[in-house]
Amino acid sequence: MSGTLLAETIVREPRAVAARPIAIGANVQRDETAARDVRLRARQLSVRYGTALAISDVSLDVHDRAITAIIGPSGCGKSTLLRVFNRMNDLIPNARCEGRVEMDGVDILGSDIDVVKLRRHVGMVFQKPNPFPMSIYDNVTYGPRQHGVRGKSKLDGIVEQCLKRAALWDEVKDRLRAPAMGMSGGQQQRLCIARALAVEPNVILMDEPCSALDPRATLKVEDLMTDLARDYTIVIVTHNMQQAARVSHYTAFMLAGEERVGRLVEFGLTEAMFTAPTDKRTEDYITGRFG
Amino acid sequence: MTRELFDKKLREMQDDVLIMGSMVEKAVQRSMDALRTRDVARSDAVIREDQAINAKRYEIEEKCIHTIALQQPMAADLRVLVAVLFIATELERMADHAEGIARINLMLGDEPLPAIIGDIGEMADKAGDMLRRSLTAFVERDERAARLICDEDDQVDTLYDSSYLALIQEMIRVPADVPRLTYLIWTCHNLERIADRVTNICERVIFMVTGQLEEINVSRY
């Protein structure tokens, strides 16, 4: 989807996007990362819960059709950052964002953004598989129906396409009317991915998507992510550094200091981050010598 | 969070590299001493003891593979292990060159050394010194020292040139000595290759420190 189209669909009322210079953080925009288009552009982003600053001054580019992993110890603000990208933090009372997050030139933090539409473009998969207590078929069609898609053949087509895309079709095609809760954990998580795909997002956010899965199911989801990255922009939060190293193209390392405010320490190509990080704190974390 | 067990393993592997390095240095020295003194028994010992160096190389390699598989090292730790793997291989090949010199001594049979032997003594001393210092640079993560040692390979190449020339001239002067002098050219070649492999070790030290793989000094041979 082009930037203009996207802007028209997520902004409540079409408006001219003010052209203003954007300061670029020193820790982003390494030469080798400039090759891909940028899908999400966070600049001087800070998030507060009430008076407490959760993350501060994060400037980060999320590249189009690539997997960006956000790693860091517990409490460093990585999930907070992820939730900014589809405004899930709006659901938390007193959560407040400062700075700017652009998607295709539009500041998605703006008050004129229709967050329901935004979340259609920026889907999310959670840590624990959370299928709705309904059939496999209804899980996948739930989103499209909410967005007004009608007609059995059209919905059937969406179900087949999304389940195939989520590498689940062959396993469930004969039991589409069976309850989703009866599936294995790995299947449930792939169903959640299929459900996210059904509303045709551009970006898929994944918050620890494999932490509740066994190694085999984890690898299936990782394979699926790699496959999806050809068409979608994926941002994954993970505690599993091996997973970040295996699947992602870019890695962002966040860390909270003693004041417990999460900051972006280093961002770059995953290969470089895991073989020769430039910041000592990144080095200490990924070699297991942190804290 | 600390990684005491892992750090201990890394230190052990580093010690293993130093032990192997001293085995190789000793092999080079002994092969040269045996050649100078025409001591066949000592050359036999160098050839025999090469097995221990080979075994040490496999021991280091195995430890590295186990550590990579079980500890999943990243970043600087991973670079150390990759460097250790590579250095162990280079050391093992250096020992093969020492063994080659020992075999040359055996091939010389009862013949004495020719009157002209070029600068092979100096070459051996220089290569041995470079080897020792390269392993110190490895332990001390000393990028600067590693780069300086790489530059010194030119000195060994120059000694190789002068020795080669002297030995060829001697061949022309005393054609009957061509077989013995040829053996000495082979010896020079082995020493020159040992110095080249020291520069390979230094390149891995630089990689270990900086994360950059680069060819520092391309030997003329």
Side-chain angles (χ1 to χ4, degrees):
Chain A
M1 181 175 287
S2 76
T4 315
L5 271 175
L6 187 58
E8 283 171 4
T9 54
I10 63 171
V11 176
R12 278 206 201 101
E13 292 167 16
R15 53 154 195 172
V17 178
R20 64 178 169 105
I22 297 167
I24 294 173
N27 48 4
V28 295
Q29 290 287 314
R30 289 157 60 133
D31 287 342
E32 62 267 41
T33 64
R36 291 174 199 251
D37 290 341
V38 174
R39 172 62 76 175
L40 288 163
R41 192 186 302 271
R43 290 293 177 268
Q44 282 96 42
L45 174 70
S46 298
V47 179
R48 289 174 194 278
Y49 296 123
T51 54
L53 192 56
I55 60 174
S56 174
D57 198 27
V58 172
S59 293
L60 171 79
D61 287 349
V62 174
H63 294 262
D64 191 27
R65 277 169 284 189
I67 301 174
T68 299
I70 306 173
I71 61 168
S74 297
C76 71
K78 50 192 189 301
S79 291
T80 295
L81 174 61
L82 191 76
R83 288 197 298 263
V84 169
F85 293 140
N86 71 346
R87 301 256 308 249
M88 288 292 278
N89 288 327
D90 287 13
L91 303 173
I92 300 170
N94 301 324
R96 193 157 48 85
C97 296
E98 293 159 16
R100 195 172 165 85
V101 178
E102 284 181 15
M103 184 158 69
D104 299 324
V106 178
D107 183 4
I108 62 169
L109 302 182
S111 57
D112 51 354
I113 292 294
D114 181 333
V115 293
V116 175
K117 285 180 180 168
L118 172 69
R119 287 176 198 149
R120 208 193 115 189
H121 292 289
V122 185
M124 192 155 193
V125 175
F126 296 89
Q127 183 170 4
K128 201 162 167 261
N130 57 348
F132 299 141
M134 49 181 77
S135 70
I136 295 168
Y137 184 97
D138 288 343
N139 262 275
V140 180
T141 57
Y142 185 85
R145 279 179 170 146
Q146 291 293 309
H147 287 96
V149 178
R150 296 286 180 271
K152 185 176 180 305
S153 65
K154 199 164 188 180
L155 291 169
D156 285 354
I158 290 173
V159 169
E160 182 172 346
Q161 188 192 348
C162 293
L163 289 175
K164 277 183 174 167
R165 204 72 178 82
L168 195 56
W169 175 251
D170 288 341
E171 293 167 51
V172 302
K173 64 185 175 193
D174 299 325
R175 52 183 177 117
L176 294 175
R177 299 292 174 184
M181 306 302 276
M183 303 165 87
S184 71
Q187 287 175 327
Q188 287 186 13
Q189 194 62 306
R190 280 179 284 142
L191 177 65
C192 291
I193 293 171
R195 193 176 64 192
L197 297 177
V199 293
E200 298 176 349
N202 301 102
V203 180
I204 304 169
L205 309 175
M206 297 185 173
D207 193 353
E208 293 275 2
C210 300
S211 62
L213 306 184
D214 69 18
R216 197 170 167 173
T218 295
L219 285 178
K220 276 201 167 184
V221 171
E222 288 181 3
D223 284 348
L224 173 59
M225 286 166 65
T226 305
D227 182 48
L228 291 174
R230 282 183 291 188
D231 300 311
Y232 300 90
T233 301
I234 297 176
V235 187
I236 174 176
V237 161
T238 178
H239 269 118
N240 182 339
M241 280 187 289
Q242 300 296 329
Q243 181 172 65
R246 278 195 299 266
V247 302
S248 73
H249 303 95
Y250 300 92
T251 298
F253 170 57
M254 293 184 70
L255 188 63
E258 282 180 10
E259 79 285 20
R260 302 183 71 180
V261 178
R263 293 173 206 279
L264 179 66
V265 172
E266 190 170 350
F267 172 73
L269 284 172
T270 296
E271 276 176 21
M273 291 283 283
F274 282 91
T275 55
T278 55
D279 194 289
K280 170 88 168 58
R281 293 166 294 176
T282 315
E283 174 88 41
D284 286 348
Y285 182 71
I286 65 174
T287 58
R289 292 184 177 78
F290 169 76
Chain B
M1 184 163 54
T2 58
R3 299 195 72 180
E4 275 178 38
L5 181 68
F6 177 66
D7 286 336
K8 187 166 167 275
K9 280 187 181 300
L10 274 186
R11 279 196 301 275
E12 275 174 16
M13 264 178 283
Q14 187 167 290
D15 291 346
D16 283 335
V17 168
L18 290 182
I19 290 167
M20 189 177 172
S22 82
M23 289 164 84
V24 172
E25 193 190 339
K26 193 170 140 200
V28 175
Q29 269 173 5
R30 292 180 76 189
S31 67
M32 286 302 296
D33 288 346
L35 181 67
R36 282 192 202 103
T37 56
R38 303 300 341 283
D39 184 342
V40 173
R42 192 176 282 195
S43 293
D44 277 334
V46 170
I47 293 165
R48 214 170 36 245
E49 285 162 17
D50 188 54
Q51 295 304 313
I53 295 175
N54 292 347
K56 191 75 189 165
R57 175 248 171 119
Y58 288 120
E59 180 195 324
I60 292 173
E61 207 166 303
E62 208 164 275
K63 280 185 187 172
C64 273
I65 291 166
H66 284 170
T67 308
I68 289 169
L70 302 179
Q71 300 286 337
Q72 285 124 33
M74 294 280 192
D77 295 337
L78 182 61
R79 299 203 303 272
V80 170
L81 285 171
V82 170
V84 165
L85 264 178
F86 193 89
I87 291 171
T89 308
E90 288 295 320
L91 288 172
E92 192 264 320
R93 299 306 303 274
M94 284 180 184
D96 289 345
H97 292 304
E99 187 194 346
I101 294 170
R103 289 194 185 281
I104 286 168
N105 192 34
L106 299 184
M107 284 189 278
L108 276 168
D110 296 331
E111 299 271 336
L113 276 184
I116 300 293
I117 62 166
D119 297 316
I120 59 172
E122 206 180 328
M123 278 182 85
D125 291 346
K126 185 72 198 166
D129 179 54
M130 286 169 67
L131 169 60
R132 209 166 26 250
R133 284 187 292 127
S134 71
L135 294 178
T136 304
F138 163 69
V139 172
E140 293 177 354
R141 312 285 191 265
D142 191 340
E143 180 197 351
R144 190 170 165 272
R147 287 187 188 278
L148 289 172
I149 296 164
C150 284
D151 290 342
E152 291 175 28
D153 185 46
D154 288 345
Q155 296 173 31
V156 178
D157 286 352
T158 302
L159 289 169
Y160 181 59
D161 287 343
S162 59
S163 300
Y164 185 82
L165 190 64
L167 293 167
I168 293 289
Q169 282 172 344
E170 187 65 2
M171 283 179 185
I172 294 165
R173 200 177 69 81
V174 190
D177 268 354
V178 166
R180 287 192 303 163
L181 293 162
T182 303
Y183 289 142
L184 289 183
I185 288 179
W186 292 357
T187 303
C188 289
H189 180 70
N190 277 309
L191 293 169
E192 192 276 324
R193 292 299 295 142
I194 287 171
D196 281 351
R197 291 187 183 280
V198 172
T199 66
N200 291 345
I201 289 176
C202 290
E203 284 171 4
R204 294 299 151 153
V205 171
I206 293 164
F207 163 72
M208 203 171 72
V209 178
T210 67
Q212 300 296 316
L213 278 172
E214 48 184 311
E215 185 142 28
I216 304 297
N217 186 6
V218 182
S219 173
R220 296 206 293 270
Y221 300 101

